[in-house]
Amino acid sequence: MRPPLVVGNWKMHGGLAEARALAQSVRDGLKRPRGVEVVVCPPFTALAAVAEVLGGSVVGLGAQNCHWEPHGAFTGEISPTMLAELGCRLVLLGHSERRHIFRETDDEINKKVAAVLRHGLQPLLCVGETAEERRQGLTFTVVEGQLRAGWAGLSLEDMGRCLLAYEPVWAIGTGVNATPAQAAEVHGYLRGLASELGSKDLAQTVRILYGGSVKADNAAEVTQEPDVDGVLVGGASLQAPSFIAIAKKSAAKGGAPKRRLLLCDPESTSCAIGRTAVPPGAIESNRLGISAVSHSTTGARSGYLPALPLRQQRSRYVSRGRAGVRVDSRGRRG
Ligand code: PGA
């Protein structure tokens, strides 16, 4: 079970009055959200006020960063204990703005992840490549390195308490969101890596959000992807109507299982199911067995599905019926 989660990252926006008003509107607009969990992450200075507004509502409170020590001589820092005391339930860690503007290292992020877990909070670990890294074909290498480092030394149980977000740096605040196919292949890759680092069960249960220019008009499309378990929203979370619309559009649609895409190149000599290389013969049987691997997001079936790096992907098959339907990269039948 991976209930969709929508997280609003307010970044360094808004004073107390704005934060209170925004929290009130989100709370009132999402009184009984169905099929979606919602969390907002205001600036530190507004956490107490927003906690008060959200008290008793279903909208959760999160923070945008924290230090790894519980207390000490760390001028300007906020500790996980302080966040827990204010009622936070999750903490964003490794956000690209922390990595790139404030030069946070993988090692520091790893210490923060472990500290947050120790204090009973949930880390939302963000990973993502820059435009240049994507251009050089390094997307998987980068996100793999960030996840391996972020989870280093964690027990399987602790990995299971983490949330992940794939946030391509080139999509954050740019208005250029990743296509659902781009998000799907990285999410599939991360799920495969979660299986390797943890277990198959972990791969099936860890929630991976997509973030980067999510708006009310593209949220439904990206969260329709089976491996996308919600969204991390920056700019569009600062206006209650757009954030509420995103939350509603990301909600699980009861009874309509998401279809898994089988990303596979029929002419390729190798394919990968998650991170396991599969010989060409096996691709054929996958192709014929598509209906067997399609499943609902309710976790009816374990095992994750084929994902290929885009550079190897010439066509994809949509799991519809026994043989599957070949579609081009825009989803058109061909
Ligand atoms: P954006 O930011 O939605 O404004 O692109 C996302 C994020 O930074 O988490």
PDB file of all heavy atoms in Angstrom, residues 9 11 95 97 167 171-173 212-214 232-235, ligand 1:
ATOM      1  N   ASN A   9       6.168  22.627  -0.111  1.00  0.00           N
ATOM      2  CA  ASN A   9       7.415  23.201   0.383  1.00  0.00           C
ATOM      3  C   ASN A   9       7.327  24.715   0.182  1.00  0.00           C
ATOM      4  O   ASN A   9       7.479  25.198  -0.937  1.00  0.00           O
ATOM      5  CB  ASN A   9       8.585  22.591  -0.417  1.00  0.00           C
ATOM      6  CG  ASN A   9       9.918  23.227  -0.086  1.00  0.00           C
ATOM      7  OD1 ASN A   9      10.020  24.011   0.863  1.00  0.00           O
ATOM      8  ND2 ASN A   9      10.941  22.883  -0.863  1.00  0.00           N
ATOM      9  N   LYS A  11       9.289  26.952   1.164  1.00  0.00           N
ATOM     10  CA  LYS A  11      10.617  27.578   1.057  1.00  0.00           C
ATOM     11  C   LYS A  11      10.692  28.830   1.949  1.00  0.00           C
ATOM     12  O   LYS A  11      10.097  28.840   3.025  1.00  0.00           O
ATOM     13  CB  LYS A  11      10.949  27.869  -0.410  1.00  0.00           C
ATOM     14  CG  LYS A  11      10.779  26.614  -1.268  1.00  0.00           C
ATOM     15  CD  LYS A  11      11.414  26.697  -2.611  1.00  0.00           C
ATOM     16  CE  LYS A  11      11.140  25.401  -3.371  1.00  0.00           C
ATOM     17  NZ  LYS A  11      11.787  25.324  -4.653  1.00  0.00           N
ATOM     18  N   HIS A  95      17.318  18.560  -0.218  1.00  0.00           N
ATOM     19  CA  HIS A  95      16.678  19.306  -1.301  1.00  0.00           C
ATOM     20  C   HIS A  95      17.768  19.914  -2.178  1.00  0.00           C
ATOM     21  O   HIS A  95      18.834  20.303  -1.682  1.00  0.00           O
ATOM     22  CB  HIS A  95      15.785  20.403  -0.722  1.00  0.00           C
ATOM     23  CG  HIS A  95      14.951  21.082  -1.759  1.00  0.00           C
ATOM     24  ND1 HIS A  95      15.467  22.058  -2.576  1.00  0.00           N
ATOM     25  CD2 HIS A  95      13.671  20.887  -2.141  1.00  0.00           C
ATOM     26  CE1 HIS A  95      14.515  22.452  -3.414  1.00  0.00           C
ATOM     27  NE2 HIS A  95      13.412  21.762  -3.170  1.00  0.00           N
ATOM     28  N   GLU A  97      18.175  22.708  -3.445  1.00  0.00           N
ATOM     29  CA  GLU A  97      18.659  24.039  -3.052  1.00  0.00           C
ATOM     30  C   GLU A  97      19.637  23.934  -1.883  1.00  0.00           C
ATOM     31  O   GLU A  97      20.580  24.726  -1.778  1.00  0.00           O
ATOM     32  CB  GLU A  97      17.459  24.950  -2.709  1.00  0.00           C
ATOM     33  CG  GLU A  97      16.746  25.392  -3.983  1.00  0.00           C
ATOM     34  CD  GLU A  97      15.245  25.587  -3.840  1.00  0.00           C
ATOM     35  OE1 GLU A  97      14.749  25.741  -2.714  1.00  0.00           O
ATOM     36  OE2 GLU A  97      14.553  25.568  -4.884  1.00  0.00           O
ATOM     37  N   GLU A 167      13.530  14.792  -7.631  1.00  0.00           N
ATOM     38  CA  GLU A 167      13.353  16.180  -8.038  1.00  0.00           C
ATOM     39  C   GLU A 167      14.478  16.569  -8.985  1.00  0.00           C
ATOM     40  O   GLU A 167      15.567  16.975  -8.531  1.00  0.00           O
ATOM     41  CB  GLU A 167      13.407  17.097  -6.806  1.00  0.00           C
ATOM     42  CG  GLU A 167      12.239  16.912  -5.868  1.00  0.00           C
ATOM     43  CD  GLU A 167      11.900  18.230  -5.177  1.00  0.00           C
ATOM     44  OE1 GLU A 167      12.793  18.863  -4.599  1.00  0.00           O
ATOM     45  OE2 GLU A 167      10.742  18.636  -5.265  1.00  0.00           O
ATOM     46  N   ALA A 171      14.049  20.911 -13.239  1.00  0.00           N
ATOM     47  CA  ALA A 171      12.589  21.096 -13.237  1.00  0.00           C
ATOM     48  C   ALA A 171      12.123  21.955 -12.067  1.00  0.00           C
ATOM     49  O   ALA A 171      10.961  22.362 -12.022  1.00  0.00           O
ATOM     50  CB  ALA A 171      11.895  19.732 -13.177  1.00  0.00           C
ATOM     51  N   ILE A 172      13.017  22.237 -11.128  1.00  0.00           N
ATOM     52  CA  ILE A 172      12.590  22.952  -9.921  1.00  0.00           C
ATOM     53  C   ILE A 172      12.497  24.455 -10.171  1.00  0.00           C
ATOM     54  O   ILE A 172      13.494  25.099 -10.514  1.00  0.00           O
ATOM     55  CB  ILE A 172      13.549  22.661  -8.752  1.00  0.00           C
ATOM     56  CG1 ILE A 172      13.464  21.168  -8.391  1.00  0.00           C
ATOM     57  CG2 ILE A 172      13.194  23.519  -7.537  1.00  0.00           C
ATOM     58  CD1 ILE A 172      14.391  20.749  -7.288  1.00  0.00           C
ATOM     59  N   GLY A 173      11.294  24.951 -10.035  1.00  0.00           N
ATOM     60  CA  GLY A 173      11.065  26.394 -10.170  1.00  0.00           C
ATOM     61  C   GLY A 173      11.252  26.932 -11.576  1.00  0.00           C
ATOM     62  O   GLY A 173      11.343  28.138 -11.770  1.00  0.00           O
ATOM     63  N   GLY A 212       9.084  19.149  -8.945  1.00  0.00           N
ATOM     64  CA  GLY A 212       9.691  19.974  -9.999  1.00  0.00           C
ATOM     65  C   GLY A 212       8.597  20.510 -10.892  1.00  0.00           C
ATOM     66  O   GLY A 212       8.070  19.788 -11.738  1.00  0.00           O
ATOM     67  N   SER A 213       8.220  21.790 -10.642  1.00  0.00           N
ATOM     68  CA  SER A 213       7.197  22.465 -11.452  1.00  0.00           C
ATOM     69  C   SER A 213       5.878  21.698 -11.524  1.00  0.00           C
ATOM     70  O   SER A 213       5.229  21.653 -12.575  1.00  0.00           O
ATOM     71  CB  SER A 213       7.738  22.736 -12.863  1.00  0.00           C
ATOM     72  OG  SER A 213       8.821  23.648 -12.797  1.00  0.00           O
ATOM     73  N   VAL A 214       5.504  21.114 -10.400  1.00  0.00           N
ATOM     74  CA  VAL A 214       4.175  20.479 -10.352  1.00  0.00           C
ATOM     75  C   VAL A 214       3.141  21.591 -10.191  1.00  0.00           C
ATOM     76  O   VAL A 214       3.276  22.471  -9.344  1.00  0.00           O
ATOM     77  CB  VAL A 214       4.072  19.486  -9.176  1.00  0.00           C
ATOM     78  CG1 VAL A 214       2.646  18.950  -9.056  1.00  0.00           C
ATOM     79  CG2 VAL A 214       5.059  18.344  -9.359  1.00  0.00           C
ATOM     80  N   LEU A 232       5.905  16.584  -4.530  1.00  0.00           N
ATOM     81  CA  LEU A 232       6.487  17.601  -3.657  1.00  0.00           C
ATOM     82  C   LEU A 232       6.371  18.916  -4.432  1.00  0.00           C
ATOM     83  O   LEU A 232       6.905  19.037  -5.534  1.00  0.00           O
ATOM     84  CB  LEU A 232       7.952  17.246  -3.356  1.00  0.00           C
ATOM     85  CG  LEU A 232       8.777  18.243  -2.547  1.00  0.00           C
ATOM     86  CD1 LEU A 232       8.087  18.656  -1.266  1.00  0.00           C
ATOM     87  CD2 LEU A 232      10.145  17.630  -2.219  1.00  0.00           C
ATOM     88  N   VAL A 233       5.636  19.852  -3.856  1.00  0.00           N
ATOM     89  CA  VAL A 233       5.242  21.048  -4.597  1.00  0.00           C
ATOM     90  C   VAL A 233       5.866  22.298  -3.991  1.00  0.00           C
ATOM     91  O   VAL A 233       5.717  22.539  -2.792  1.00  0.00           O
ATOM     92  CB  VAL A 233       3.698  21.209  -4.560  1.00  0.00           C
ATOM     93  CG1 VAL A 233       3.243  22.304  -5.517  1.00  0.00           C
ATOM     94  CG2 VAL A 233       3.012  19.897  -4.879  1.00  0.00           C
ATOM     95  N   GLY A 234       6.545  23.081  -4.798  1.00  0.00           N
ATOM     96  CA  GLY A 234       7.128  24.332  -4.320  1.00  0.00           C
ATOM     97  C   GLY A 234       6.186  25.490  -4.608  1.00  0.00           C
ATOM     98  O   GLY A 234       5.208  25.735  -3.899  1.00  0.00           O
ATOM     99  N   GLY A 235       6.449  26.207  -5.704  1.00  0.00           N
ATOM    100  CA  GLY A 235       5.709  27.419  -6.056  1.00  0.00           C
ATOM    101  C   GLY A 235       4.194  27.280  -5.956  1.00  0.00           C
ATOM    102  O   GLY A 235       3.522  28.148  -5.369  1.00  0.00           O
TER     103      GLY A 235
HETATM  104  P1  PGA B   1       8.682  23.925  -7.664  1.00  0.00           P
HETATM  105  O1  PGA B   1       9.656  23.443  -6.464  1.00  0.00           O
HETATM  106  O2  PGA B   1       7.393  23.177  -7.505  1.00  0.00           O
HETATM  107  O3  PGA B   1       8.529  25.401  -7.462  1.00  0.00           O
HETATM  108  O4  PGA B   1       9.373  23.577  -8.933  1.00  0.00           O
HETATM  109  C1  PGA B   1       9.681  22.116  -6.041  1.00  0.00           C
HETATM  110  C2  PGA B   1      10.618  21.950  -4.882  1.00  0.00           C
HETATM  111  O5  PGA B   1      11.601  22.705  -4.807  1.00  0.00           O
HETATM  112  O6  PGA B   1      10.414  21.102  -4.014  1.00  0.00           O
END
